[in-house]
Amino acid sequence: MNDAAPNAAPQTFYLKDYKPFGYEVESVKLTFQLSPNATKVHSAIRFNPKADAEDNRFFLHGEQLSLISAKIDGTPVTARLVDGGLECDVPRTSFLWEAEVEIDPAANTALEGLYMSNGMYCTQCEAEGFRKITYYPDRPDVMSTFTVRIEGDEPVMLSNGNPTGAGEGWAEWHDPWPKPAYLFALVAGDLVNHPGSFTTKSGKDVELNIWVRPGDEGKCAFGMEALKKSMKWDEDVYGLEYDLDLFNIVAVDDFNMGAMENKGLNIFNSSCVLASPETSTDANFERIEAIIAHEYFHNWTGNRITCRDWFQLCLKEGLTVFRDAQFTADMRSEPVKRIEDVIALRARQFPEDGGPLAHPPRPEEFQEINNFYTATVYEKGAEVIGMLKRLVGDDNYYKALNLYFERHDGQACTIEDWLKVFEDATGRDLSQFKLWYSQAGTPRVKVTEDYADGTYTLTFEQSTPPTPGQPEKAPRVIPMAVGLLSPNGDEVRGTQVLELTEAKQSFTFDGLASKPVPSILREFSAPVILERETTNSERAFLLAHDTDPFNRWEAGNALAKEVRVAMVLDGAAPDAAYLDALEKLVRDDEQDPAFRALVLSPPSQSDIAQTLHERGHTPDPQTIYDAAETFTQTLAQQLETSLPRLYAATTVEGLYVPDADGAGKRALNSRILSLLTRLDGGEQAARQYASADNMTQQYAALAALMKAEKGEAQSKAFFEQWQDDRLVMDKWFALQIACAAPEATAATAKELTQHPLFSMKNPNRFRAVMGALAGNHAGFHHASGAGYQLLAENLIALDSVNPQTTARMCAAFQTWKRYDSKRQAQIQAELERILATSGLSRDTHEMVSRMLSA
Ligand code: 0A1
Ligand code: ZN
């Protein structure tokens, strides 16, 4: 069933139109009678009209519900079914609303509301899924306590809060904390638990469980430890304690996103919680730890203090991403985490900010809120908080956060509330800083320098290119962390945060004996693009000497980019000095292996395309691919004699431990193996594949072999070994496409869509194939247009099954204006084809229209 009229211009919602709901919801009681195709939901909700309500229309959201009956104070009433819900005449005094509806979880492939995954019932209510369960004021500023009774024959039946009773065929739950409906959850099925416990700092014992399908019990231990570490960290760093007697996590295979912070009952995509050394890579382990932390941290930043409306989404998401990044930095390595985050920001957020889908961290309008769970809301939202912390200092940051929790506990808040606690705690005026929340686009900061008579001057000019709906931008507050090095490599000025507030601004440093080398934007102190004329030898100098690890990596990264750009534009040979610098670094055992692995990882081809585009060139994906191949081959040859020794020296022996130290070493070892495989015909990789006892090394060997077109036998063996493990099979699907040559990418992906294990209904599998297609830069953008066509066809097919995942994956086309006119025309035709599909979802309609209208 599709609610929206086919392709009609959908409704747009505006931040400026916010109006509170006219009723308070005192309590909610829900009874579920579970049945795959005909679940009955009975609701009993006490509403109290607000005396001061501006608008007392009684409207309840509801979608895809069959209304069986409605009563007020026990008397049947006739509700008027209207677009998106119902209306009813109600008393002006407190009343009890009761409704019975029927829903069809088994037919719910959109995975929003109550649905079924592998025979198990589960829910996803953020952002607006609760309205598919029953009629309700489904908005985050309506908070209430929930009591839930589940009737059914499932062995395990869970909801939010604490269990209050259970018997044959029923279970009851009560959540004492008022919450918005988007945090409601229910799970029922044949599940087993991996138990744990945690004692809070005030001495309360909390029972912990990770619930999984029978057979997955062995993949829960790491997640459980991550949960306990998160609970402890939030107490130690933010003073925040857990507030229920029970904390449940459930793993489900079919899930649109990573995980969901439902109060006391987090639901996770199984890929974000299940882990074992045999089936998960180091990167998987790190991500699982971070997501468990993220969802747990939402208990305070999201649940206890929630959002007034969905325009404020970054209030909870930006802050929670910032907190999970702090956690990962503390558990692992701070500089490595920062470098990884900046790589991800540039790969995902910068293209969004620079293209047709650009929007501010707090958008002012939307058609479908699910389209705004973006890198801008999440990752840029977190960057904005990082800047705020840097500007006010650590002590003031925690002072402001304490005030936030004290003042707003139990409330649904706005960005204004958030900034006000900082203003009140520090006395600082944040009106200009607030522009970060309302202006889209990545600022460009041009830096020039001057040195005379011992005085060094840095001049910064900031500007932000136009974005959809925002042709002009005002200057923002930009914290610019800067240090100065003397030509002999000593640091002559330690890190200092310069505050840029004007379009053009200069800062001077006195008493310098010689012209220093500046290290600018240390720790990536602001999400901006720095433009500065400099030389490769200065970059090499910073790569060798900067005391800021982030900027040391950044210097190497900039150098790598320059070398690649020169290869692409002028057909230049790989720069010899750069190759030497890399060689020196790989051999330098004093340096952190994780850091060496990062420096050895080349900038992505998409990143090179973006850089060329920013400099006014039209990137050719094939040329970029060829340059990457030549560069890597040349590097392998340069290192030829030392590769076997380096490989041996970096191999981690003994029991696999997924910690930061081991992961860093294995990352470096895998980089070396991929270079070695280019020269030894795959001998070493085949040996590693055969002897690996963990997925990190097995996968690295397979990837190296497949990239060298030497992995056919291993790929078959991998399939045989892992065909019953869904998560490992996702890797197998993705890897074949990621390793395919440009001309073979679309055909490989197409063939995999015919594979018996391919499925449109499982978002992980669909993403494994179509995400890998979009992620293979030269393959996706191959001149034939076959990549574009295949993605569009599959998006059209997926849309009627799962609009949310379709719409998110449409973003693969967002960079289309970077490319030549032929490719633009091909993509435009595909976007138009998607838009013309009859019955297209509101989600996909909005995404494609935005991309086409820019
Ligand atoms: N709040 C979750 C993310 C999430 C958002 C939407 C979902 O379904 C549409 C599911 C999860 C988080 O930040 O982890
Ligand atoms: Zn979140």
Side-chain angles (χ1 to χ4, degrees):
M1 185 181 349
N2 207 320
D3 295 273
N7 299 355
Q11 193 184 351
T12 300
F13 299 90
Y14 297 94
L15 167 62
K16 63 175 168 42
D17 291 346
Y18 173 80
K19 271 204 209 97
F21 187 52
Y23 301 81
E24 177 207 84
V25 178
E26 191 181 304
S27 62
V28 179
K29 287 204 172 83
L30 301 172
T31 304
F32 289 80
Q33 289 169 294
L34 297 176
S35 167
N37 289 108
T39 289
K40 290 217 169 83
V41 186
H42 179 269
S43 60
I45 307 168
R46 177 150 296 278
F47 286 101
N48 300 323
K50 287 182 188 162
D52 57 351
E54 240 181 84
D55 174 3
N56 48 32
R57 182 168 89 118
F58 187 74
F59 170 78
L60 303 180
H61 296 102
E63 284 177 20
Q64 296 170 26
L65 305 172
S66 304
L67 180 62
I68 298 170
S69 67
K71 288 182 201 160
I72 288 180
D73 292 330
T75 306
V77 291
T78 310
R80 296 179 293 280
L81 297 185
V82 296
D83 197 23
L86 64 69
E87 285 175 352
C88 196
D89 300 324
V90 299
R92 293 304 306 147
T93 51
S94 173
F95 62 92
L96 184 71
W97 162 266
E98 283 174 274
E100 184 154 33
V101 303
E102 191 180 289
I103 53 179
D104 186 349
N108 181 355
T109 57
L111 314 183
E112 196 186 35
L114 178 68
Y115 66 95
M116 299 198 76
S117 170
N118 282 326
M120 160 181 154
Y121 293 87
C122 60
T123 53
Q124 174 53 41
C125 294
E126 188 179 7
E128 299 179 333
F130 191 75
R131 62 189 65 180
K132 294 182 171 178
I133 293 177
T134 193
Y135 288 100
Y136 195 73
D138 187 9
R139 37 188 291 169
D141 60 344
V142 172
M143 297 168 86
S144 189
T145 54
F146 283 63
T147 304
V148 177
R149 179 180 167 91
I150 312 171
E151 296 173 7
D153 45 20
E154 303 299 327
V156 175
M157 299 194 283
L158 311 171
S159 191
N160 315 85
N162 299 314
T164 48
E168 188 62 35
W170 64 276
E172 284 181 355
W173 292 81
H174 176 70
D175 181 359
W177 297 102
K179 65 169 175 288
Y182 83 87
L183 292 172
F184 168 79
L186 177 154
V187 171
D190 182 13
L191 295 164
V192 288
N193 67 321
H194 176 106
S197 65
F198 182 81
T199 306
T200 68
K201 62 175 181 171
S202 66
K204 198 165 66 142
D205 289 322
V206 184
E207 177 189 331
L208 314 175
N209 287 300
I210 299 182
W211 295 92
V212 296
R213 289 199 294 161
D216 284 335
E217 305 86 319
K219 295 182 177 177
C220 301
F222 180 81
M224 181 56 78
E225 288 315 301
L227 175 60
K228 292 184 207 165
K229 283 189 206 165
S230 307
M231 295 176 88
K232 177 78 169 66
W233 185 90
D234 217 13
E235 291 185 348
D236 291 348
V237 178
Y238 281 84
L240 299 172
E241 211 175 322
Y242 188 60
D243 55 5
L244 287 166
D245 304 330
L246 174 62
F247 189 81
N248 280 321
I249 286 178
V250 184
V252 298
D253 288 335
D254 303 288
F255 200 75
N256 280 331
M257 310 273 275
M260 179 62 211
E261 69 264 23
N262 314 302
K263 184 78 188 191
L265 179 54
N266 287 0
I267 297 182
F268 274 62
N269 185 322
S270 49
S271 72
C272 298
V273 54
L274 300 182
S276 76
E278 297 73 35
T279 57
S280 315
T281 61
D282 286 325
N284 296 149
F285 279 104
E286 181 176 335
R287 178 150 187 268
I288 287 166
E289 186 177 82
I291 296 181
I292 289 193
H294 179 97
E295 304 311 329
Y296 175 73
F297 297 158
H298 266 316
N299 191 54
W300 277 93
T301 52
N303 301 3
R304 289 285 287 256
I305 303 181
T306 192
C307 302
R308 186 192 73 175
D309 52 67
W310 292 118
F311 299 101
Q312 322 292 330
L313 182 58
C314 74
L315 177 74
K316 73 177 177 84
E317 295 305 345
L319 178 54
T320 306
V321 171
F322 181 72
R323 277 154 45 72
D324 82 56
Q326 285 183 298
F327 168 78
T328 298
D330 282 355
M331 295 298 123
R332 291 166 179 259
S333 149
E334 190 172 345
V336 169
K337 172 63 177 162
R338 189 64 188 140
I339 294 166
E340 288 171 352
D341 281 353
V342 173
I343 292 172
L345 191 77
R346 285 177 174 153
R348 305 196 314 115
Q349 201 278 324
F350 280 24
E352 187 166 273
D353 235 356
L357 298 177
H359 55 276
R362 179 168 72 177
E364 277 158 30
E365 57 176 276
F366 63 74
Q367 289 174 358
E368 173 50 67
I369 185 58
N370 286 329
N371 289 335
F372 287 82
Y373 286 76
T374 59
T376 298
V377 168
Y378 276 65
E379 276 78 29
K380 188 172 184 175
E383 290 298 319
V384 172
I385 292 174
M387 288 190 283
L388 195 51
K389 180 161 175 281
R390 203 176 289 272
L391 289 168
V392 302
D394 285 3
D395 290 351
N396 278 329
Y397 171 80
Y398 289 104
K399 203 168 129 195
L401 268 106
N402 287 338
L403 185 56
Y404 181 61
F405 296 120
E406 201 182 290
R407 188 183 281 176
H408 294 296
D409 186 11
Q411 298 178 3
C413 294
T414 59
I415 291 300
E416 283 72 18
D417 296 325
W418 163 252
L419 290 176
K420 186 80 168 62
V421 296
F422 279 83
E423 299 198 313
D424 291 352
T426 67
R428 210 182 151 108
D429 174 3
L430 291 171
S431 43
Q432 188 185 6
F433 184 82
K434 194 177 170 191
L435 291 172
W436 279 105
Y437 285 103
S438 58
Q439 290 190 165
T442 309
R444 311 275 175 100
V445 181
K446 198 170 153 207
V447 191
T448 49
E449 61 194 310
D450 187 53
Y451 176 76
D453 306 326
T455 298
Y456 181 67
T457 306
L458 281 172
T459 300
F460 299 88
E461 282 173 80
Q462 57 162 301
S463 66
T464 305
T467 52
Q470 294 188 335
E472 307 284 342
K473 308 282 200 311
R476 308 182 204 196
V477 184
I478 300 179
M480 188 61 76
V482 169
L484 300 178
L485 285 90
S486 77
N488 66 14
D490 295 338
E491 187 167 75
V492 285
R493 290 287 183 280
T495 305
Q496 186 181 336
V497 180
L498 310 177
E499 282 186 39
L500 277 53
T501 52
E502 290 156 35
K504 183 169 180 179
Q505 216 169 343
S506 296
F507 297 85
T508 56
F509 304 82
D510 297 321
L512 293 159
S514 54
K515 184 179 175 211
V517 178
S519 166
I520 304 174
L521 201 64
R522 282 185 159 179
E523 290 175 21
F524 202 70
S525 59
V528 302
I529 296 172
L530 207 57
E531 292 171 350
R532 175 167 170 266
E533 301 228 342
T534 175
T535 59
N536 280 353
S537 65
E538 190 181 295
R539 294 188 178 104
F541 172 85
L542 287 171
L543 172 60
H545 300 288
D546 204 324
T547 55
D548 179 58
F550 174 82
N551 258 7
R552 248 168 12 93
W553 169 82
E554 178 76 319
N557 182 54
L559 196 49
K561 262 198 217 171
E562 290 315 314
V563 169
R564 291 292 194 76
V565 166
M567 289 175 71
V568 170
L569 291 181
D570 318 329
D575 182 76
Y578 176 54
L579 289 167
D580 289 344
L582 279 186
E583 177 166 11
K584 209 163 132 216
L585 189 99
V586 196
R587 289 157 172 271
D588 184 355
D589 291 335
E590 298 287 295
Q591 306 260 5
D592 177 17
F595 182 80
R596 284 190 276 164
L598 284 165
V599 178
L600 262 188
S601 304
S604 74
Q605 292 171 41
S606 173
D607 198 0
I608 301 295
Q610 177 66 24
T611 305
L612 287 165
H613 172 69
E614 277 161 17
R615 296 182 189 179
H617 304 281
T618 303
D620 174 41
Q622 184 67 42
T623 315
I624 294 173
Y625 174 86
D626 293 339
E629 284 298 302
T630 307
F631 182 84
T632 313
Q633 191 65 29
T634 315
L635 177 64
Q637 272 149 6
Q638 163 132 357
L639 293 171
E640 181 162 17
T641 51
S642 36
L643 281 174
R645 185 197 62 78
L646 279 168
Y647 173 78
T650 57
T651 299
V652 188
E653 311 276 7
L655 191 71
Y656 173 88
V657 184
D659 59 1
D661 198 34
K665 288 181 180 146
R666 282 184 291 270
L668 178 58
N669 184 248
S670 302
R671 285 295 307 142
I672 290 168
L673 181 65
S674 74
L675 293 170
L676 183 56
T677 306
R678 288 177 171 260
L679 305 176
D680 77 348
E683 250 177 67
Q684 187 58 58
R687 270 201 294 276
Q688 175 167 319
Y689 185 87
S691 65
D693 64 355
N694 62 78
M695 181 51 69
T696 307
Q697 287 172 326
Q698 186 178 20
Y699 182 82
L702 181 62
L705 288 165
M706 288 183 48
K707 183 80 195 91
E709 295 183 14
K710 298 247 161 20
E712 214 175 311
Q714 285 81 2
S715 174
K716 272 212 183 79
F718 192 90
F719 179 84
E720 291 302 323
Q721 184 181 358
W722 296 117
Q723 54 183 317
D724 296 328
D725 188 307
R726 279 184 161 207
L727 299 176
V728 181
M729 282 323 285
D730 289 335
K731 297 186 200 310
W732 180 81
F733 274 90
L735 192 59
Q736 296 176 68
I737 304 163
C739 293
E743 63 284 0
T745 304
T748 307
K750 187 165 188 154
E751 207 181 303
L752 286 169
T753 62
Q754 318 293 319
H755 193 283
L757 293 182
F758 179 75
S759 160
M760 286 269 168
K761 296 214 170 127
N762 178 249
N764 290 1
R765 187 58 48 85
F766 186 87
R767 276 189 291 257
V769 174
M770 289 299 139
L773 169 65
N776 183 327
H777 185 256
F780 181 51
H781 295 284
H782 188 264
S784 65
Y788 304 147
Q789 212 183 326
L790 184 66
L791 180 63
E793 265 163 27
N794 278 277
L795 291 174
I796 290 169
L798 184 69
D799 190 62
S800 57
V801 177
N802 185 334
Q804 237 184 71
T805 294
T806 310
R808 303 198 103 226
M809 296 208 54
C810 282
F813 288 117
Q814 71 178 320
T815 55
W816 68 293
K817 295 274 166 125
R818 273 184 197 165
Y819 300 96
D820 55 77
S821 55
K822 186 169 162 224
R823 285 184 171 85
Q824 287 195 23
Q826 288 168 331
I827 297 178
Q828 186 172 347
E830 297 304 338
L831 289 172
E832 282 166 356
R833 182 155 75 105
I834 298 173
L835 203 61
T837 307
S838 87
L840 194 70
S841 66
R842 175 175 65 209
D843 311 54
T844 305
H845 187 278
E846 180 184 28
M847 292 293 276
V848 176
S849 319
R850 280 163 71 203
M851 283 190 282
L852 277 171
S853 66

